[in-house]
Amino acid sequence: MRLSDLQNKDIVNITDGKNVGSIIDVKIDEETGNIVSFIIEPSRSFFSFFNKGQDTEIHWKSITKIGEDVILVKLSL
């Protein structure tokens, strides 16, 4: 799977069903080559109160499922 494939998927928080935002970058562990986290450009409604439009990092352990059209994450804010 390529980064561009991930960027086309919606990211949904399974805790409340809201769209989290869009992937703009990925952090990768230099030693193992594994994905550490996704960097998210927040949707205007989801994170706007908490971080005033700043990018958000979603760690790999918070990702519950990567499907064909959506990435499900479990975030508790």
Side-chain angles (χ1 to χ4, degrees), residues 8-9 21 38 40 43 53 60:
N8 292 328
K9 298 180 187 296
F38 292 137
I40 306 300
S43 63
W60 184 254

Side-chain angles (χ1 to χ4, degrees), residues 21-35:
S22 302
I23 295 173
I24 56 172
D25 207 352
V26 175
K27 278 192 179 178
I28 301 203
D29 184 310
E30 292 179 16
E31 293 180 17
T32 65
N34 293 330
I35 295 175

Side-chain angles (χ1 to χ4, degrees), residues 2 9 12 15-16 18 24 32 36 38 42-43 49 56-57 60 67-69 75:
R2 296 174 182 230
K9 298 180 187 296
V12 176
T15 304
D16 59 10
K18 291 185 180 179
I24 56 172
T32 65
V36 174
F38 292 137
S43 63
F49 178 75
T56 302
E57 186 172 354
W60 184 254
E68 286 186 41
D69 300 319
L75 302 174

Side-chain angles (χ1 to χ4, degrees), residues 3 5 11 15-17 21-22 29 33 36 48 50 55 58 60-63 74:
L3 176 58
D5 295 332
I11 302 173
T15 304
D16 59 10
S22 302
D29 184 310
V36 174
S48 59
F50 296 104
D55 298 338
I58 296 179
W60 184 254
K61 64 183 178 187
S62 298
I63 298 166
K74 187 171 185 179

